[in-house]
Amino acid sequence: MGVVDLGLGNMSNVLRAVRGTAVRDVYGVERASALIIPGVGSFSAAMPTLETVREAIIGRVREGIPVLGICLGLQLLYEGSEEGPGRGLSIFRGTVKRFSGVRVPHIGWNQVEPSGESVLLKGIRRGEFFYFVHSYYAPVSEFTRGLTDYGGAFSSVVEKGNVFGVQFHPEKSGQAGARVLRNFGVMA
């Protein structure tokens, strides 16, 4: 399993949690059996590295390999973000929005409520708590498989074919987070 290194935090925790290999270039993306795109940082800060592997990731998605975006990685699966300039992977349509009317960043434990059938949430009890750190969110859509409320409902889990995203940090979310990573690993 390849963990895409965007140079934005979180790598060591995710690598340890999934026993993956850091991927830093097109060669690594093209050889991975599955990809995880983690990230802690801003959308625009991820752009220089994302630009170097964008087409390779999109090609692997088309080939059907499983891809999981974590936190900023989920946001990069969208077309763009209010956080700053840059073009996401456009696997999901729409723009990632900034929270308004609530304290940002949203830090801490919050519940995820399943919304429809979910591969990642299989075996997770309703209302399970996961660990979040973010100021931007993906709107609710037909691909939402988990909802979280923070000043309104947002997509905390999205799934579309072989592409998955979670806004929370499964690698920091105890047993429930470990279950989400195992569920993704079954796909890999």
Side-chain angles (χ1 to χ4, degrees), residues 156-170:
S156 51
V157 179
V158 292
E159 300 181 8
K160 179 181 179 184
N162 55 310
V163 180
F164 307 86
V166 293
Q167 185 59 66
F168 53 84
H169 289 273

Side-chain angles (χ1 to χ4, degrees), residues 88-108:
L89 294 166
S90 300
I91 293 162
F92 295 99
R93 294 187 50 91
T95 300
V96 173
K97 307 287 185 191
R98 181 175 169 79
F99 285 115
S100 64
V102 291
R103 177 180 284 169
V104 291
H106 169 215
I107 299 176

Side-chain angles (χ1 to χ4, degrees), residues 13-156:
N13 289 333
V14 174
L15 286 168
R16 200 169 25 257
V18 300
R19 296 184 184 96
T21 303
V23 170
R24 295 179 175 89
D25 55 23
V26 171
Y27 179 84
V29 169
E30 290 176 344
R31 276 140 193 81
S33 60
L35 290 170
I36 294 179
I37 307 169
V40 175
S42 74
F43 192 89
S44 55
M47 288 303 115
T49 306
L50 185 64
E51 285 300 324
T52 66
V53 294
R54 171 191 309 286
E55 294 308 316
I57 292 172
I58 292 169
R60 297 310 313 270
V61 167
R62 288 183 183 134
E63 291 170 15
I65 75 156
V67 175
L68 171 64
I70 296 174
C71 195
L72 175 61
L74 170 142
Q75 296 173 15
L76 293 170
L77 298 173
Y78 285 80
E79 295 171 303
S81 174
E82 290 180 351
E83 188 170 16
R87 179 174 54 115
L89 294 166
S90 300
I91 293 162
F92 295 99
R93 294 187 50 91
T95 300
V96 173
K97 307 287 185 191
R98 181 175 169 79
F99 285 115
S100 64
V102 291
R103 177 180 284 169
V104 291
H106 169 215
I107 299 176
W109 296 89
N110 204 336
Q111 293 178 299
V112 172
E113 288 293 336
S115 176
E117 291 295 315
S118 171
V119 171
L120 293 181
L121 297 178
K122 185 175 183 179
I124 304 284
R125 68 179 174 83
R126 293 190 71 79
E128 184 64 72
F129 283 85
F130 292 88
Y131 187 76
F132 290 83
V133 180
H134 63 121
S135 298
Y136 295 80
Y137 66 92
V140 176
S141 75
E142 66 187 287
F143 302 108
T144 300
R145 296 296 175 263
L147 292 165
T148 297
D149 184 24
Y150 188 69
F154 67 88
S155 293
S156 51

